[in-house]
Amino acid sequence: MSNSNNTPAKKNLIQLIFEFAGEKKGQYFVSVFFALLSVACAIAPYLVISKIIQELLAGIRDWSLFLKQSGIIALFWAGNVIFHAISTSLSHVATFNLLGNIRKKMCDKLTRLPLGTVLSMPSGSLKNIMIERIDSMETTLAHIVPEYTSNIILSIVLMIYLFVQDWRLALACLAVLPIGFVAMCFMFKDSATRFKYALDKTKALNDTAVEYINGIEVIKAFGKSKSSYERFVVAAKEGSDCYVEWMRDCIWPHAIATVVTPSLLLSLLPIGGFMFLKGNVDASVFINVIILAVCAIQPFLIAFSYHDDIAKAGAIFGEVGSIMSLKELNRPSQDTKKPCDNSIKLNDVHFTYKNELEASKSSKEILHGISMNLPQGSYTALVGPSGSGKSTIARLIASLWDVDSGSIEIGGIDIKNLSLQEYNRRVAYVSQDNFLFDMSIRDNIRLGRLDASDKEVEEVAKASGCYDFIMSLENDFDTVVGSSGTHLSGGERQRIAIARAMMKDAPIVILDEATAYTDPENEALIQKSVAKLVKGKTLIVIAHRLSTIKDADQIYVINKGNIDSHGTHQELLDKGGLYFNMWQAHIDSKDE
């Protein structure tokens, strides 16, 4: 049963928090409990003070009693500090675990998405969400869950207690709140839209910065530093202006709300005083309500102060949720059937590159009913003009996308019925733009099989023809290749990628322009190493240099998303047509 066919339902902030918190979510509940105790200890001294005042009004002058009550106040103060420390410690542990889980699940999600979906996401935006934005939630989540929850609960409890004391005085306390509420409404007007706009501008700034840095070589080479830098300046200004304008529009409503809302005594004192003079309320009740009103509004204001943080966390979780809800490759978690061999068959395959993040944009079909039969152990070449769909076919066979209609089978089993783990074990894919990680050459090769020994890595390097150039480097196999392998030439990177594929020892090998970055001298070395890599395996090769694939068992000529013709090299030459013209152009270019 596939676990990725349906898009997950949208979840609210609390659901997402407890989902990502994993095994540590229980600590949030315990944290809230201690936060309740902490806030209760912060409010309790006011009740003790109210009791002392009532005793003084009653004529009691027992100083030992007052000293004992002062000691109780001190204990409550200590309890407030201790319980708050325990609460925040637990919530921070849970939050760090939560943020780590979010990042791990996002990385895991990206591996299960179609390649086109991942490539459609700007790297600056992805990096911003996974690093800065998620990191910015640490303080918010560590305090929101325990403190916001506990302060809201205690505010409600105290308000109920006020109404129990005297409902008339309780209403008098609330008389000023409508003014503060109206000011808050103006302050929060369009806040969701404004925050989304601010996030979009921040994303644009990150994307522009990444583009500027990645393209610095081209910018310098063509003298475009001024125009390119201006784009970054404009993005930076727009990123700051959206926040400045937002704050400017909110400053007066915020000032009114923060001044008026805590001023419960503004209405309570004149109304309560008038009731006391008329004999409608006892002095002890009046004083008790005054003290309760002072302490009741404090937890409410603390909870209210987290509103922006909650909106921010909600927006960030929304971004995370939008990525986590993207449709994955349609694959089962476990295999029910195993392929009988390593043959490959394409049945009437249609495919269109679609960007799930921009679903409103129309897409053009790339492949129009491709059918192929690649026997086990055969050598098949795909050739054709640029943009004809050769690499698309290779990527579909490599399971980087799902077909729109039709099917791809391995050993008689539709690849959609094979788990990604089983499929990855069977297929090695070497593209023309192979990526090397910023670690040693040894570790990059070992990615093909993580449990390989150093000796096995070196043997594979010899077999792939890159041992000699590796040993000529300053730290031989321990040489760090740099970000994306920038410390090596294109041909060297390609040879290491082939060594990595050899280390995987998969029964199906796909080579997409494996010699694209090599000069004629190194091409022979790569061809020799490829021959060792593919011995006895099902091989698919995409090539522009037709001389490198003339010995293929079969050649498919792809043109405009269709199969133009197929056969052996000689059969295709005898037929004439597109392949014959391509061969003639190839021979002419070699002669020149």
Side-chain angles (χ1 to χ4, degrees):
M1 192 76 180
S2 175
N3 60 358
S4 54
N5 229 355
N6 299 319
T7 300
K10 296 287 185 181
K11 299 176 181 178
N12 62 38
L13 177 60
I14 298 299
Q15 287 176 312
L16 288 169
I17 287 175
F18 285 109
E19 177 184 324
F20 286 118
E23 62 183 19
K24 300 292 184 181
K25 61 185 174 185
Q27 291 190 346
Y28 274 130
F29 290 110
V30 180
S31 174
V32 170
F33 171 73
F34 279 105
L36 281 168
L37 292 179
S38 174
V39 177
C41 286
I43 292 173
Y46 290 97
L47 302 179
V48 177
I49 292 170
S50 175
K51 179 70 174 174
I52 292 173
I53 293 173
Q54 291 177 30
E55 290 168 347
L56 287 171
L57 290 175
I60 298 175
R61 297 294 185 270
D62 187 348
W63 299 109
S64 62
L65 173 63
F66 296 151
L67 185 62
K68 185 186 297 181
Q69 289 171 327
S70 298
I72 292 172
I73 290 173
L75 287 175
F76 278 128
W77 177 84
N80 168 247
V81 174
I82 293 170
F83 292 139
H84 181 267
I86 295 173
S87 173
T88 53
S89 296
L90 290 171
S91 64
H92 273 85
V93 171
T95 297
F96 285 126
N97 185 76
L98 180 148
L99 300 183
N101 283 343
I102 292 176
R103 289 190 174 114
K104 285 188 284 188
K105 289 187 177 183
M106 283 188 71
C107 289
D108 189 46
K109 177 74 176 184
L110 293 178
T111 65
R112 300 194 303 272
L113 291 175
L115 181 61
T117 302
V118 178
L119 293 178
S120 67
M121 303 177 192
S123 58
S125 296
L126 266 179
K127 173 255 184 188
N128 185 243
I129 293 171
M130 296 181 71
I131 306 299
E132 284 88 354
R133 291 204 186 286
I134 291 177
D135 197 54
S136 70
M137 290 195 295
E138 181 269 319
T139 303
T140 299
L141 293 178
H143 294 279
I144 275 182
V145 176
E147 295 183 19
Y148 179 81
T149 306
S150 59
N151 280 286
I152 282 290
I153 291 173
L154 281 174
S155 292
I156 294 171
V157 170
L158 286 171
M159 281 298 172
I160 293 172
Y161 186 54
L162 275 174
F163 275 92
V164 171
Q165 288 286 298
D166 192 299
W167 66 270
R168 298 165 301 173
L169 294 177
L171 289 176
C173 289
L174 303 178
V176 298
L177 291 186
I179 301 173
F181 180 74
V182 171
M184 289 180 202
C185 288
F186 278 103
M187 186 170 67
F188 296 136
K189 181 184 177 184
D190 300 327
S191 61
T193 304
R194 286 176 177 268
F195 193 70
K196 184 179 184 306
Y197 178 74
L199 287 179
D200 290 342
K201 289 299 179 183
T202 305
K203 284 182 189 176
L205 174 58
N206 274 280
D207 294 341
T208 306
V210 170
E211 181 185 48
Y212 181 78
I213 294 169
N214 289 341
I216 194 68
E217 183 178 356
V218 176
I219 291 169
K220 288 181 175 292
F222 289 92
K224 298 296 183 182
S225 57
K226 183 178 180 181
S227 60
S228 300
Y229 186 68
E230 283 176 355
R231 285 186 59 208
F232 176 75
V233 171
V234 169
K237 188 175 187 306
E238 289 178 348
S240 63
D241 285 350
C242 61
Y243 285 103
V244 172
E245 291 170 7
W246 188 7
M247 295 303 108
R248 186 184 294 122
D249 291 342
C250 290
I251 190 167
W252 282 109
H254 179 266
I256 294 170
T258 52
V259 170
V260 174
T261 304
S263 304
L264 300 186
L265 299 182
L266 196 63
S267 55
L268 174 62
L269 289 179
I271 295 173
F274 179 77
M275 292 174 63
F276 173 71
L277 292 175
K278 290 292 185 179
N280 295 327
V281 65
D282 292 337
S284 59
V285 173
F286 185 31
I287 291 172
N288 199 32
V289 170
I290 291 173
I291 293 174
L292 285 172
V294 171
C295 65
I297 197 63
Q298 183 182 5
F300 172 77
L301 291 175
I302 292 173
F304 169 74
S305 68
Y306 286 115
H307 181 274
D308 284 345
D309 293 322
I310 292 173
K312 176 182 175 182
I316 295 171
F317 268 111
E319 292 180 321
V320 173
S322 66
I323 293 174
M324 297 301 295
S325 64
L326 290 173
K327 187 176 179 181
E328 301 174 4
L329 286 169
N330 187 13
R331 299 291 185 272
S333 56
Q334 293 183 339
D335 299 302
T336 55
K337 293 182 179 179
K338 295 284 187 181
C340 61
D341 57 24
N342 294 301
S343 61
I344 302 171
K345 189 175 182 182
L346 281 71
N347 304 303
D348 193 28
V349 169
H350 291 256
F351 179 73
T352 302
Y353 286 110
K354 292 182 288 289
N355 182 353
E356 193 175 338
L357 298 177
E358 299 177 3
S360 59
K361 291 187 178 181
S362 59
S363 303
K364 183 179 178 182
E365 188 174 78
I366 303 299
L367 301 180
H368 318 294
I370 299 292
S371 295
M372 294 181 178
N373 189 18
L374 289 64
Q376 174 172 283
S378 64
Y379 171 12
T380 302
L382 305 180
V383 300
S386 296
S388 59
K390 307 182 300 295
S391 292
T392 301
I393 294 172
R395 288 167 180 168
L396 288 172
I397 295 173
S399 194
L400 301 181
W401 279 279
D402 272 335
V403 301
D404 296 338
S405 63
S407 65
I408 299 176
E409 299 176 2
I410 288 186
I413 304 296
D414 192 322
I415 64 172
K416 290 184 178 180
N417 296 323
L418 293 174
S419 67
L420 287 175
Q421 291 81 1
E422 171 65 19
Y423 201 81
N424 290 333
R425 186 186 68 79
R426 288 181 175 270
V427 179
Y429 176 65
V430 182
S431 76
Q432 57 183 303
D433 297 313
N434 272 286
F435 185 89
L436 297 184
F437 291 90
D438 189 14
M439 51 191 186
S440 70
I441 292 175
R442 188 188 309 277
D443 290 334
N444 268 287
I445 296 175
R446 189 178 275 131
L447 287 174
R449 182 162 57 85
L450 295 177
D451 60 351
S453 65
D454 288 350
K455 183 177 180 181
E456 288 174 314
V457 170
E458 292 171 12
E459 289 300 322
V460 164
K462 291 176 182 177
S464 63
C466 57
Y467 181 84
D468 291 338
F469 96 76
I470 292 174
M471 294 306 294
S472 68
L473 299 174
E474 182 178 359
N475 297 312
D476 51 76
F477 280 88
D478 294 319
T479 301
V480 176
V481 301
S483 178
S484 303
T486 51
H487 295 172
L488 304 177
S489 69
E492 290 169 340
R493 289 197 297 270
Q494 199 72 30
R495 287 151 73 183
I496 291 175
I498 291 172
R500 183 167 59 193
M502 291 181 73
M503 178 64 73
K504 187 175 183 180
D505 195 26
I508 297 172
V509 178
I510 303 171
L511 301 177
D512 186 355
E513 296 289 347
T515 58
Y517 294 122
T518 59
D519 51 43
E521 295 176 0
N522 285 321
E523 185 174 359
L525 288 173
I526 292 180
Q527 292 291 348
K528 186 177 178 181
S529 61
V530 165
K532 295 179 181 178
L533 166 64
V534 302
K535 190 173 182 180
K537 303 179 187 298
T538 304
L539 173 65
I540 303 166
V541 173
I542 299 171
H544 281 300
R545 298 175 187 171
L546 300 185
S547 58
T548 63
I549 51 90
K550 64 181 182 179
D551 294 328
D553 297 326
Q554 57 179 346
I555 300 171
Y556 280 88
V557 183
I558 313 299
N559 189 27
K560 297 180 180 179
N562 294 289
I563 295 178
D564 179 85
S565 55
H566 92 281
T568 64
H569 171 71
Q570 192 58 51
E571 288 171 348
L572 290 172
L573 288 179
D574 293 340
K575 290 179 183 177
L578 178 58
Y579 185 81
F580 179 83
N581 295 334
M582 292 173 62
W583 179 257
Q584 287 299 124
H586 175 67
I587 296 299
D588 291 344
S589 65
K590 287 184 71 174
D591 291 342
E592 290 176 7

